[in-house]
């Protein structure tokens, strides 16, 4: 890990030399000398790391090198901060002072090089025959593929298992079981198999509208598990369910399972104790509902129901193993890029190597993840030779076999380039089964220095480089991802780790002193306890998981009470996922002030705003302490009361500021509106969606000088200065709210951005409120916004009266002079309308927007009585909501319309007489929700007591039909 740290420091110093050349001019040559020596030192670290486990003297030396790299970074950054606030005379004095510090570091480097010679540590530049593979290198990262689209689904060897288990769940004879269990070791594919069954068309039909999936894992809380199950069965009552106590949760679950035909999946249930805690929520006697569970422990299944069906999937046989490896490692059918390819030899090698995985799907996929990055025969032979020294083949299901599989997983980690190793280990900070937001992860990686600027292609941003890193981990099957379902700022929406991969990340993080995790929760993760007990001063990253159930402060004070350790910490993540406490008892604002070298500070308190009161939250006055955290690159504070702005201007190195949703941010009237102008390096700004107190209309927040800003979210014209937008020349993503008073000025400034030849805007989300005024005065400008492709307007929300819709979606005359255009040229993916008072049917216009995926027509958007969706309309629409359209009586849907519609909601349309006949043609429709609709309308769709309503055939194919009454 020392090699990674040195690479990070070299990258940071090189960037500072490039970006802050004027301020660093007095020490430029000396800093460049530091970089050169660090690069030379890095060439020795591969050999040093290989001997670190067997020689204590080398372990100590490597630790000293890591500290020396951190010292070099700290000295340069401190000089930069001092020089930026000093005049020319004082800057010269500072340069003399810090020159001495740099000379001291160079003397220590000289001693280090002497030790390299004494310990016979070899440089990769001196070693003959050094490897050219990516393993152990930190040069420019190879990019093997395009990661913008999901890889094809690979499912080998379990098709018969799917058919068998589906039959046991829905069979009408003795083949039907109340409980079906899938048991086996980790990595066998239990969850994948269960997902195939859960999404099977027969299951969707049999258990229409009553399916729930919940993951238990090693950390579980009974109430939360019961809540997730019940919300899955009755999602429309989520708020009510969150208020239920344990008894009411059990009572409702039993009632639903007795009255409806439900399927509930308990995925990854580890212990008998977990089942015993939950079993009261499932009927003891026979019912129409069914239960499916997956577990590594077959005794859990036997204990839950001795008469249930227990399925233990077999390991893949040699042919199936080779087929799976081939699909992963040779996705293009075995084509190789090397002229020395020999398909027969590659198959021979592949079959030998896959035997090492013992038929375990996860191990095979991980091996494929290694080989897919090595398309030539020569590289396959090298991997094969490496495998010969990695132990014997797995021969059974005992401890020796598990050790062998662990070696395969470790093998995949060791094959990673250094950049990706640190990024993979970073994922171990997050909780088991947690979905990690990709955009947040990229910004954290960048702030930690893990994303190297040397990996940037021309015109590429660091965010794009970070996304390519995640893409490489996905390509190697080390990380699971969820793709964004719209054309957005980034391709990946979130990611997560398989529990075995998380085990690997945590064990390697511990071995390499990568981070320390502290658990301040009622139930702690035993695997993290070892990290907590590790008191190595080398650890610079700290993650604290806490919840409201944890009351003791003794443990927390033990770790937060040592000021020396705090001052060494570079990264502090505070994660509270279930409660409303702003900080753990042992860590307050004063303790945070002691972390003076922090580069990353993230306080994430994820709460449901609907379930709390403002006075239930602690008020954090970070303004008193932030001024001392001058090295911060990343600051996130979410869902708390906050006093912060006065000290923001001191954070000159800040690159990401995430205030997200806040409950109270106060902007003192005496504070300069140019307070953000000092943050010259700021790239990502997330303003509070709930606004800022204390800002007057004539003195709004300014954005001058922020030329590097790439992301701005929640820009609100009520308190943000519109005229500064054109100066944000690096802007790529912008989400903004516009009041009717600022509409004209906003459109003019957005037009200035679009017309700029240097505009980099890729994603625009606009929310316009024109209630009481309409769009007459701004109609032409809004049309320009809709029609200009440079805006990349993807999401539009308009609240207020609209003119005739066809005028809004008609191309401006000046565009028609140059090209033939129609409404299909618009690229909006999400459109939300409120109170538009449209008299003409909007569907003939809207259905031509080829990119539209989400359409929400809310209260009084349409006041006519008839709508029609034509056969070619809405080719990509997935979600459609019709809410309170008071005069709508007839809705027609032609066959071929909305071919990919997945979710349809009809709410309080009191005069709609019946569901369109064309509903039966919506074959992709998964969920139909009717709320507060006339009783007669609903009765025509119900199937009760074996009798079908008059219109039941229209909805018979829809897996989830929810008919809800108004409260």
């Amino acid at each position: 890990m020392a090699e990674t740290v040195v690479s990070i420091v070299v990258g940071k110093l090189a960037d500072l030399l490039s970006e802050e050349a004027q301020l660093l001019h007095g020490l430029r040559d000396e800093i460049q000398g530091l970089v050169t020596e660090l690069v030379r030192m890095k060439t020795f670290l591969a050999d040093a790391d290989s001997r670190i486990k067997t020689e204590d003297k080398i372990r100590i030396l490597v630790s000293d090198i890591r500290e020396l790299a951190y010292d070099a970074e700290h000295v340069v950054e401190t000089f930069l901060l001092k020089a930026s606030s000093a005049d020319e005379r004082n800057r010269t004095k500072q340069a003399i002072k810090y020159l001495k510090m740099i000379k001291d570091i160079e003397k220590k480097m000289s001693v280090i090089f002497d030790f390299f010679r004494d310990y016979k540590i070899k440089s990769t530049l001196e070693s003959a025959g050094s490897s050219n593979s990516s393993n152990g290198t930190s040069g420019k990262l190879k990019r093997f593929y395009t990661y913008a689209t999901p890889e094809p689904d690979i499912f080998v060897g379990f098709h018969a298992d799917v058919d068998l288990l589906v039959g046991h769940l829905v069979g009408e004879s003795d083949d039907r079981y109340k409980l079906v269990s899938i048991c086996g070791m980790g990595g066998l594919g239990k969850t994948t198999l269960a997902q195939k069954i859960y999404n099977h068309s027969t299951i969707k039909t049999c258990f229409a509208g009553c399916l729930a999936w919940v993951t238990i894992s090693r950390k579980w809380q009974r109430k939360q598990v019961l809540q997730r199950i019940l919300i899955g069965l009755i999602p429309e009552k989520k708020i009510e369910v969150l208020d239920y106590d344990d008894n009411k949760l059990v009572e409702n679950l039993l009632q639903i399972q007795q009255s409806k035909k439900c399927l509930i999946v308990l995925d990854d249930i580890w212990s008998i104790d977990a089942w015993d805690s939950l079993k009261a929520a499932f009927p003891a006697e026979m019912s129409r509902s069914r239960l499916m569970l997956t577990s590594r422990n077959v005794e859990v299944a036997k204990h839950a129901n001795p008469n249930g069906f227990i399925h233990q999937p077999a390991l893949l046989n040699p042919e199936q193993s080779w087929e799976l490896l081939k699909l992963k490692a040779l996705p293009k059918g075995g084509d190789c890029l090397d002229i020395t390819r020999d398909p027969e030899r590659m198959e021979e090698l592949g079959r030998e190597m896959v035997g090492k995985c013992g038929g375990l799907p996860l191990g095979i996929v991980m091996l494929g993840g290694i080989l897919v990055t090595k398309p030539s025969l020569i590289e396959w032979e090298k991997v094969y030779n490496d495998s010969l020294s990695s132990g014997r083949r797995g021969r059974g299901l005992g401890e020796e076999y598990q050790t062998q599989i662990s070696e395969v997983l470790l093998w995949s980690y060791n094959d990673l380039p250094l950049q990706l190793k640190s990024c993979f280990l970073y994922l171990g900070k997050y909780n088991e089964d947690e979905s990690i937001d990709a955009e947040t992860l990229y910004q954290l990686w960048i702030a930690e220095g893990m994303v190297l600027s040397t990996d940037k292609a021309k015109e590429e941003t660091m965010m794009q480089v970070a996304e390519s890193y995640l893409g490489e981990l996905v390509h190697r099957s080390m990380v699971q991802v969820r793709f964004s379902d719209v054309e957005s700022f980034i391709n990946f929406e979130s990611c997560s780790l398989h529990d075995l991969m998380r085990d690997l990340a945590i064990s390697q993080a511990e071995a390499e002193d990568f981070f320390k995790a502290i658990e301040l929760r009622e139930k702690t993760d035993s695997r993290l306890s070892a990290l907590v007990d590790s008191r190595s001063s080398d650890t610079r990253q700290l993650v604290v998981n806490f919840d409201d159930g944890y009351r003791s402060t003794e443990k927390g004070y033990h770790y937060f009470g040592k000021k020396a350790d705090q001052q060494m910490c570079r990264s502090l993540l505070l994660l509270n996922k279930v409660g409303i406490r702003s900080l753990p008892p042992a860590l307050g604002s004063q303790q945070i002030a002691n972390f003076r070298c922090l580069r990353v500070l993230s306080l994430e308190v994820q709460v449901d705003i609907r379930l709390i009161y403002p006075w239930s939250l602690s008020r954090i006055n970070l303004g008193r302490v932030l001024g001392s955290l001058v090295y911060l690159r990343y600051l996130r504070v979410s869902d708390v009361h906050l006093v912060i702005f006065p000290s923001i201007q001191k954070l000159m190195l800040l690159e990401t500021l995430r205030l997200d949703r806040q409950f109270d941010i106060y902007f003192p009237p005496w504070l300069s509106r140019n307070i953000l102008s000092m943050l010259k390096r700021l790239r990502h700004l997330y303003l509070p969606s709930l606004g800022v107190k204390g800002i007057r209309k004539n003195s709004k927040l300014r954005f001058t000088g922020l030329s590097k800003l790439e992301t701005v979210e929640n820009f609100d014209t009520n308190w943000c200065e519109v005229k500064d937008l054109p100066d944000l020349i690096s802007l790529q993503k912008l989400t903004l709210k516009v009041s009717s008073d600022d509409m004209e000025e906003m459109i003019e400034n957005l037009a200035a951005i679009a017309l700029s030849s240097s505009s980099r805007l890729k994603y625009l989300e606009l929310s316009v409120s024109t209630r009481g005024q309409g769009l007459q005065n701004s109609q032409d400008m809004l049309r320009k916004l809709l029609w200009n492709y440079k805006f990349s307007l993807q999401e539009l929300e308009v609240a207020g009266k609209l003119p005739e819709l066809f005028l809004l979606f008609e191309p401006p005359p000046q565009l028609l002079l140059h090209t033939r255009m129609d409404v299909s040229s618009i690229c909006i993916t999400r459109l939300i309308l409120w109170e538009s008072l449209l008299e003409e049917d909007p569907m003939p216009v809207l259905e031509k927007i080829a990119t539209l995926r989400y359409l929400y027509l809310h209260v009084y958007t349409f006041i006519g009585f008839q709508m029609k969706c034509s056969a070619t309309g809405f080719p990509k629409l997935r979600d459609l909501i019709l809410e309170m359209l008071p005069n709508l009586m007839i809705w027609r849907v032609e066959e071929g319309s909305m071919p990919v519609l997945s979710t349809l909601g009809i709410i309080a349309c009191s005069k709609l007489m019946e569901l369109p006949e064309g509903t039966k043609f919506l074959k992709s429709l998964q969920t139909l929700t009717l709320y507060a609709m006339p009783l007669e309308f609903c009765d025509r769709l119900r199937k009760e007591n074996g009798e079908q309503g008059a219109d039941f055939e229209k909805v018979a194919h829809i897996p989830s039909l929810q008919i809800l009454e108004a409260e």
Side-chain angles (χ1 to χ4, degrees), residues 24 126 151 186 197 308 361 388 436 447 483 500 518 549 698 759 791 841:
L24 296 177
E126 301 167 357
E151 292 187 355
I197 296 166
L388 296 179
I436 306 165
F483 280 79
L500 288 183
I518 297 178
N698 59 352
S759 175
F791 279 117
D841 180 7

Side-chain angles (χ1 to χ4, degrees), residues 226-497:
L226 295 176
Q227 284 175 338
R228 293 203 299 269
I229 296 172
L230 193 54
I231 289 171
L233 299 176
I234 48 172
E236 68 279 1
K237 295 187 178 181
K238 176 181 178 179
I239 296 179
E240 295 177 44
V241 170
L242 292 173
D243 283 333
Y244 290 169
D245 59 23
D246 286 27
N247 291 334
K248 196 164 185 179
L249 287 168
V250 170
E251 177 185 340
N252 277 265
L253 278 169
L254 289 172
Q255 181 181 355
I256 290 174
Q257 292 173 85
Q258 291 289 3
S259 61
K260 295 183 178 182
K261 195 173 183 180
C262 306
L263 173 62
I264 298 171
V265 180
L266 304 179
D267 181 41
D268 200 20
I269 182 168
W270 279 69
S271 67
I272 290 174
D273 288 344
W275 169 257
D276 286 342
S277 176
L278 300 171
K279 66 181 181 181
F282 306 105
E285 68 280 359
M286 289 295 293
S287 71
R288 295 190 298 163
S289 295
R290 297 288 176 265
L291 185 65
M292 181 166 64
L293 65 83
T294 71
S295 179
R296 297 189 191 184
N297 186 356
V298 70
E299 297 302 320
V300 174
K302 293 178 179 178
H303 177 79
N305 188 343
N307 299 318
F309 182 80
I310 299 176
H311 181 65
Q312 295 179 276
L315 295 166
L316 300 182
N317 62 38
E319 286 302 318
Q320 292 169 332
S321 296
W322 167 241
E323 180 67 21
L324 179 58
L325 180 67
K326 187 166 59 173
L327 288 171
K328 176 60 188 176
L330 303 170
K332 295 183 179 180
D335 291 341
C336 301
L337 302 179
D338 194 274
I339 59 174
T340 63
R341 69 177 184 265
D342 181 343
E344 292 184 2
R345 176 58 177 162
M346 293 182 78
E347 179 173 348
E348 179 184 348
L349 294 173
R351 286 182 179 274
E352 283 287 325
M353 288 185 284
V354 82
K356 184 178 180 66
C357 302
L360 191 73
L362 179 63
I364 297 169
V365 169
M366 297 309 302
L367 173 60
I370 297 174
L371 295 173
V372 75
T373 66
K374 307 179 188 311
S376 70
L377 174 60
I378 293 174
E379 290 174 298
W380 275 49
E381 287 179 332
K382 183 183 184 307
V383 175
Y384 172 75
N385 291 330
D386 290 344
S387 73
L388 296 179
S389 60
S390 297
R392 296 170 295 172
R393 292 172 55 176
R395 298 179 179 176
L397 299 182
E399 182 176 346
E400 180 182 344
Y401 181 82
Q402 295 285 10
T403 301
Q404 191 68 29
I405 295 304
S406 296
E407 288 181 0
V408 173
L409 301 185
L410 182 59
W411 186 12
S412 66
Y413 169 76
N414 288 334
D415 187 69
L416 292 174
L418 285 175
Q419 300 97 310
L420 299 188
K421 283 184 178 179
S422 58
C423 291
F424 173 73
L425 295 185
Y426 202 88
L427 297 174
K429 294 184 176 185
Y430 292 89
N431 293 317
E432 190 173 10
D433 302 313
E434 182 172 353
S435 180
I436 306 165
D437 179 70
E439 190 171 333
T440 300
L441 180 66
Y442 301 156
Q443 290 162 358
L444 285 168
W445 281 350
I446 293 168
E448 302 277 11
M450 298 174 186
V451 181
L452 303 182
S453 60
T454 52
D455 285 327
K456 285 175 59 177
K458 187 177 181 180
E459 301 298 323
E460 198 172 33
T461 67
M462 293 295 279
M463 287 284 283
Q464 291 169 318
V465 178
E467 186 169 37
S468 74
Y469 283 16
L470 183 57
E472 293 294 333
L473 291 172
V474 172
H475 195 47
R476 292 168 178 263
S477 296
M478 300 189 73
V479 178
Q480 302 163 339
V481 290
R482 178 181 178 185
F483 280 79
S484 175
D485 59 356
V486 296
E487 302 294 331
S488 65
F489 187 56
I490 57 175
N491 294 295
F492 298 129
E493 182 176 310
S494 61
C495 66
S496 60
L497 289 178

